């Protein structure tokens, strides 16, 4: 699994840490951040779907527009 580095304000990290550990919802910071990214991407997909901006995965899904014939 690739590793990344993220800078964030201390206040945000403090809030994140309240949800990590034995009494928290997540085992570690990485789990919390992965869950947050997944949730954010799901929400963005829902918004895109409402606006008709999702790429049809069955048609190739490369993002390139096809010429109308």
């Amino acid at each position: 699994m690739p590793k990344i580095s993220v800078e964030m304000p201390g206040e945000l990290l403090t809030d994140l840490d309240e949800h990590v550990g034995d009494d928290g919802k997540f085992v570690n910071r990485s789990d919390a951040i992965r869950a947050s990214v997944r949730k954010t991407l799901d929400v963005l997909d829902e918004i895109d779907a409402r606006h008709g901006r999702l790429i049809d995965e069955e048609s190739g899904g490369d993002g390139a527009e096809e010429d109308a014939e």
Side-chain angles (χ1 to χ4, degrees):
M1 185 177 323
K3 290 185 180 185
I4 63 169
S5 176
V6 178
E7 292 183 17
M8 69 175 63
E11 182 177 298
L12 185 57
L13 185 59
T14 299
D15 288 347
L16 177 71
D17 285 342
E18 290 178 10
H19 300 282
V20 174
D22 293 335
D23 296 331
K25 299 170 193 75
F26 302 101
V27 175
N28 54 46
R29 287 177 175 169
S30 291
D31 283 343
I33 292 168
R34 276 192 296 270
S36 179
V37 169
R38 281 188 199 104
K39 180 65 176 176
T40 300
L41 292 174
D42 287 346
V43 168
L44 291 173
D45 284 346
E46 290 172 11
I47 292 168
D48 284 342
R50 282 192 299 244
H51 293 276
R53 295 187 296 231
L54 281 183
I55 296 171
D56 184 6
E57 294 178 8
E58 293 178 7
S59 67
D62 65 358
E65 293 185 29
E66 297 179 15
D67 292 330
E69 292 184 32

